[in-house]
Amino acid sequence: MKEYILISGICGNFGRELAAYLHKEHKIIGLDRREFNDRPKDIIHFQIDIRRKKIEEIFRKYVIKTVIHLNIIHDPRVSSKEHYEFNLTGTANILDLAVKYRVPHFIFLSSADIYGPSPDNPLFIPETHQLYGSKNIPILRDLVETDLLVQSYFWKAPDMTTTILRPCHIVGLNIQNGVMKYIKGRIVPTVAGFNPMIQIIHMHDVFRAIEMVMKRREMGIFNISAQDQIPLLVLLREIGVSHLPVLPPFEKSIFRGLFAAGLISIHPEQVDFLKYPCMVDDSRIRERLSFSPQYKITDIIKELRLTTRL
Amino acid sequence: MTRSLVKRLDSKLKKITDHILGFDIEERLKRIPTPVNDFGYDPFGFKPESIKYAALPAYLIYRYYFRVEVYGLENVPDRNVMFIANHAGQLPFDGFIIAASLLLEKDPPRLVRSMVEKWAPTLPFVNTFFSRTGQIVGTPENAIKLLNMKESLLVFPEGTKGINKTFDKRYQLQEFGTGFMKIAMATHTPIVPVAVIGSEEQQISFVNLKRLGAIFGMPGFPITLTFPWIFPFGILPYPVKYRLHYGRPMYFEDKADTDEDVLERNVAEVKTTLQSLIYKGLKERKSIFW
């Protein structure tokens, strides 16, 4: 009997790229409320909202060996109610079905952002650190709670291997996440007098980490970090992006105005990401899975230079 | 145009610095054994090149204002190491002098890292200065990571009790915390005691008004011979002569069953060794000012 990998949120740019990366070696089922344009023929796609009970049919009909859950909204322009409903209800629905149909492995792609940028952070945050992301950035609350919800299945469903991956900022040619929108924005704001160290990882390295975790069926929480760290302003300079330094202590008000006018993509609550570090310690995944990112910062910068010119 | 002007100024400044220092500062900074990435930064944001601009004023203060004498530098091992020193003088010039001695006098040079207060990263520009010159926010995780990277760390276990002490308590070590010992043992880091002679007379403080200090967000408010009477310059150090005595490295074995008693015993051993080194240094010196 054929065994499938179910990828929720497959129609996002990251999901499509991941499916393209995995589909030659694995049977893939996609799940997303969006349409899957230019879908490779060997990928089965279900255009359903993950909150709906109807997705149970997929679990009933196919033998699923792994769920890779990517279907999370994180758009500062979408209401917090929609965030909550979609992210928490959807994740709970898919988790319960995975348990009910005895899916051996559930992988959730969380984010290092949920640790939250803070002046008193350890510079390299371990997995055991508290999730303070929503302390100063309320729009991260649903992401923190979704991560905690998935964590609760470590003990609620001990027979299922549950893995949470918390990568640093993911970048790649076709990715449309927060950091890519920020560097491709019409105006790239920074805060004068602040230049935090940041980590960026290439999407292909995250794919490798997912594949490795899947092959080894490793349970637990794993930070995924970059090979190198770099100051934010050096990154912007190297990829050829000019930035607008906003004067503190008025940065939040100015960001609020620019965001309301649609000139920047970064939410005013997220301004601390441009001031304080939020970097992760990836020693656990390095030690347990011998995983290390292959892309050097210089290679990523070369690719980003192309991206920002498009 | 601006870029070429900056380049010319930079090369002029380098020539003057090299001439006064008597060695090539860039070459010396390159020999600091801290691994950096393609852009010249270490993972904590330290950029050795950034120090070159501070090297000249630091050297002038070190050589001509405090006229520092260093003893026992050969005791500093070329590996991860934790320096434990006495703290005094209202302003942390003792930290600056220790850092300068390791950078200017040791071969190969070392850049000692120190831990800054958690509010330091909230200050615009200052946060970047600290980060680029190798200073890190004081969390145990940062210290462990740094020592595991074979770096050196300067710790003043007396903390604010030391720096704010009054003149009658000079060269008497105040209470030590145990945090540094836990970190040293967990990372198998040898401890090198450093007796700083001179710093405890750089300000003659009579009383520390803690409550008044708290109003200004400071750990204390000293009343000294010159402060606050000649505000704000009165807090600057008098031209005392600094003498640094580096002791022999002390090794402490990490055992899984290490309890508080063992930690406290080890801390007491470091404190006693440092206190003896201080007494030795005081006995050997001829004068406070020369």
Side-chain angles (χ1 to χ4, degrees), chain A residues 77 181-182 184-189 244 254-266:
Chain A
R77 295 194 185 272
K181 281 183 190 161
Y182 169 71
K184 284 162 87 174
R186 266 188 290 171
I187 295 175
V188 180
L244 175 75
I254 297 169
F255 271 61
R256 207 166 284 134
L258 291 170
F259 185 75
L263 292 170
I264 58 170
S265 61
I266 185 165

Side-chain angles (χ1 to χ4, degrees), chain A residues 109-129:
Chain A
L109 189 72
S110 185
S111 161
D113 286 359
I114 60 174
Y115 293 116
S118 169
D120 53 5
N121 267 349
L123 211 56
F124 298 93
I125 306 170
E127 288 87 349
T128 47
H129 199 263

Side-chain angles (χ1 to χ4, degrees), chain A residues 119-124 126 129 192-195 197 228-231 234 237-238 248 276 279 281 296-298 301, chain B residues 37-39 41-46 118-119 121-128 131-132 136-137 139 141-142 145 149:
Chain A
D120 53 5
N121 267 349
L123 211 56
F124 298 93
H129 199 263
F194 291 89
N195 189 9
M197 295 297 281
D228 261 329
Q229 294 73 28
I230 186 169
V234 175
R237 185 193 70 205
E238 290 298 317
Y276 309 124
M279 301 198 293
D281 177 358
K296 285 182 73 177
I297 189 85
T298 40
I301 284 170
Chain B
N37 65 16
D38 293 342
F39 299 98
Y41 295 87
D42 89 336
F44 285 85
F46 165 50
K118 289 179 181 177
W119 48 260
T122 63
L123 305 173
F125 303 102
V126 174
N127 71 82
T128 313
S131 172
R132 298 297 168 266
I136 57 167
V137 177
T139 73
E141 294 93 339
N142 283 348
K145 179 95 181 170
M149 284 165 51

Side-chain angles (χ1 to χ4, degrees), chain A residues 18 20 50 78 94 101 108 143 201 206 242 244 255 264 289:
Chain A
L18 175 65
I50 52 162
V78 172
I94 201 165
Y101 288 90
F108 172 54
L143 299 186
I201 187 166
V206 183
S242 41
L244 175 75
F255 271 61
I264 58 170
L289 297 171

Side-chain angles (χ1 to χ4, degrees), chain A residues 5 27-29 59 67 85 87 91 126 137-138 156 163 166 190-191 198 207 214 220 231 244 248 256 266 268 275 308:
Chain A
I5 295 171
K27 296 276 170 204
I28 308 281
I29 296 175
F59 286 87
V67 172
E85 271 183 20
N87 291 343
T91 304
I137 309 173
K156 271 189 207 164
T163 312
R166 292 185 189 148
T190 53
V191 184
I198 62 163
F207 299 162
M214 203 164 61
L244 175 75
R256 207 166 284 134
I266 185 165
K275 291 170 71 181
T308 49

Side-chain angles (χ1 to χ4, degrees), chain B residues 119-160:
Chain B
W119 48 260
T122 63
L123 305 173
F125 303 102
V126 174
N127 71 82
T128 313
F129 172 77
F130 278 143
S131 172
R132 298 297 168 266
T133 53
Q135 313 315 308
I136 57 167
V137 177
T139 73
E141 294 93 339
N142 283 348
I144 289 169
K145 179 95 181 170
L146 205 62
L147 292 169
N148 283 336
M149 284 165 51
K150 311 285 172 226
E151 291 290 305
S152 60
L153 186 65
L154 171 62
V155 179
F156 296 108
E158 294 172 274
T160 51

Side-chain angles (χ1 to χ4, degrees), chain B residues 90 160-169 205-214 218-224 227:
Chain B
Q90 311 304 328
T160 51
K161 276 184 221 140
I163 195 163
N164 291 132
K165 73 183 139 195
T166 46
F167 195 61
D168 58 309
K169 291 184 182 138
S205 163
F206 305 112
V207 64
N208 179 24
L209 305 174
K210 282 185 192 166
R211 286 194 182 167
L212 186 62
M218 301 191 304
F221 192 95
I223 304 295
T224 78
F227 185 83

Side-chain angles (χ1 to χ4, degrees), chain A residues 21 38 81 93 109 132 138 261 276:
Chain A
Y21 180 85
D38 307 322
K81 188 171 176 249
N93 192 24
L109 189 72
Y132 284 143
Y276 309 124

